[in-house]
Amino acid sequence: TPAQPSVENKAQSSKTLSGAPPAPLPKVVRFAGMRGDMPMEERIRKALRQDAFDLFAQPIAPLRDGQRAQRFEVLLRLNDGEALYTPQAFFAAAEAHELMPDLDQWVVRELMATLRRHATQLRTKCWEFSVNIAAQTLLTDEFTEYVLQELKHSPVPPGLLVFEVAESDAIEHQYSLSILARRLHGVGCQIAIDNCRAGLRTFDTLRKWPVSCLKIDGSLVRHIVSNCRYESQVRAMARTANILGIETVAECVETENIRERLLSMDIDYAQGFHLGRPQPLSAFFEN
């Protein structure tokens, strides 16, 4: 998810299912250290024990074909009761202490629990949900086994889950990705390559994996209206992906001009503040 302004106040405008107005959400802090003297590693471990995280989601909207499924990227927030901290505040510590697999597993567990509670709505809406997988997680066998067990005992169709791996991690850990991708794809899950910039280098390796989606990095998308080189690069990636039968998602779509230019490139999906800001995952089911 691209970097955003330092503080963003959120408020739910809709009512809850019971009809009562929802409680105000804590502010979202994006670039800030955690308050207090507790080391970040201990804060993360404590949050894992106490489920002191929240799931947010950002819409990934179909561009060309309104019949395509609505998709959401699932985002993690650390909740200290007063503020919601985005990953920029705690991922470095999680990586340093090899806690990323635990965080990724927590996300899957909470997402699946939420989807089970709303299984009836999912059967009519057919929404899809993208989950990011960290490099540390990619290198463990436990995560894939955990996902498979969750799916085995869940009414949620595996095809509604899209697992995203960053392009740099995919290229660096090709063998690990090939194992994870084939096992998850084998039960019906989708695999996406995120933050794509490398162009042909990425496509040379894509053929090794059952990848269904390519997410074009926002650092390219932001400039397609003003920079011909970036526009040509995005257009070439979209054309090659279409030839290979791989869906494309443009990240960081922040203006109508960018959205319109993407339409001319045959991009399948768009994600960005112009199309929807992150909200609590539960809010999408309550609206």
Side-chain angles (χ1 to χ4, degrees):
T1 303
Q4 307 299 347
S6 60
V7 177
E8 181 180 350
N9 290 316
K10 303 285 185 180
Q12 292 183 14
S13 59
S14 62
K15 293 186 176 182
T16 61
L17 290 177
S18 64
L25 290 172
K27 64 183 179 181
V28 177
V29 181
R30 298 185 183 276
F31 298 115
M34 302 289 282
R35 294 184 298 277
D37 298 328
M38 183 182 292
M40 183 63 72
E41 173 203 0
E42 293 182 24
R43 290 176 179 269
I44 296 170
R45 294 185 188 278
K46 181 178 180 181
L48 285 167
R49 291 193 302 269
Q50 299 182 355
D51 287 335
F53 291 99
D54 288 343
L55 291 186
F56 273 51
Q58 184 176 27
I60 303 174
L63 271 181
R64 298 185 295 140
D65 183 359
Q67 299 303 311
R68 287 182 181 269
Q70 174 72 53
R71 191 174 294 170
F72 299 88
E73 181 173 357
V74 179
L75 308 169
L76 187 63
R77 304 288 188 255
L78 196 159
N79 190 340
D80 72 351
E82 297 182 17
L84 295 172
Y85 291 85
T86 61
Q88 288 93 334
F90 59 90
F91 265 21
E95 290 173 346
H97 296 278
E98 299 185 350
L99 293 172
M100 293 304 298
D102 297 313
L103 290 176
D104 287 348
Q105 187 167 309
W106 189 94
V107 170
V108 171
R109 175 168 62 84
E110 291 303 308
L111 173 62
M112 295 298 287
T114 300
L115 298 185
R116 281 194 294 269
R117 290 194 297 269
H118 300 283
T120 302
Q121 287 175 273
L122 283 178
R123 281 194 289 270
T124 58
K125 296 180 180 295
C126 294
W127 286 346
E128 297 176 352
F129 298 87
S130 292
V131 177
N132 293 283
I133 301 178
Q136 289 179 0
T137 305
L138 191 63
L139 298 174
T140 66
D141 295 330
E142 290 81 2
F143 178 78
T144 306
E145 291 298 331
Y146 181 80
V147 173
L148 294 176
Q149 288 300 313
E150 281 284 320
L151 290 170
K152 185 177 181 180
H153 303 289
S154 172
V156 178
L160 301 186
L161 300 181
V162 184
F163 290 94
E164 297 185 8
V165 178
E167 178 186 65
S168 57
D169 295 335
I171 292 174
E172 183 177 357
H173 305 294
Q174 295 188 34
Y175 177 73
S176 296
L177 175 60
S178 66
I179 295 175
L180 178 141
R182 285 186 169 83
R183 294 197 68 190
L184 293 182
H185 183 266
V187 297
C189 298
Q190 303 179 61
I191 306 297
I193 303 299
D194 194 12
N195 306 125
C196 293
R197 289 183 53 90
L200 292 178
R201 183 185 175 196
T202 299
F203 287 111
D204 286 342
T205 55
L206 276 178
R207 296 179 176 86
K208 302 176 183 179
W209 315 308
V211 172
S212 60
C213 179
L214 189 76
K215 298 189 73 174
I216 302 172
D217 193 76
S219 63
L220 302 177
V221 175
R222 282 194 183 101
H223 304 290
I224 60 173
V225 174
S226 59
N227 189 302
C228 294
R229 181 168 64 88
Y230 287 144
E231 180 186 8
S232 297
Q233 188 172 349
V234 172
R235 193 180 294 275
M237 293 173 70
R239 182 168 55 249
T240 305
N242 287 337
I243 292 173
L244 294 175
I246 298 174
E247 290 180 341
T248 48
V249 177
E251 301 176 316
C252 297
V253 179
E254 298 170 351
T255 68
E256 179 62 18
N257 286 341
I258 293 176
R259 191 192 73 84
E260 291 179 353
R261 188 63 58 87
L262 292 169
L263 278 170
S264 71
M265 299 179 183
D266 290 336
I267 300 288
D268 297 307
Y269 283 88
Q271 178 181 2
F273 279 12
H274 180 64
L275 298 159
R277 291 176 177 267
Q279 296 183 48
L281 177 62
S282 59
F284 290 100
F285 291 101
E286 292 170 355
N287 289 340

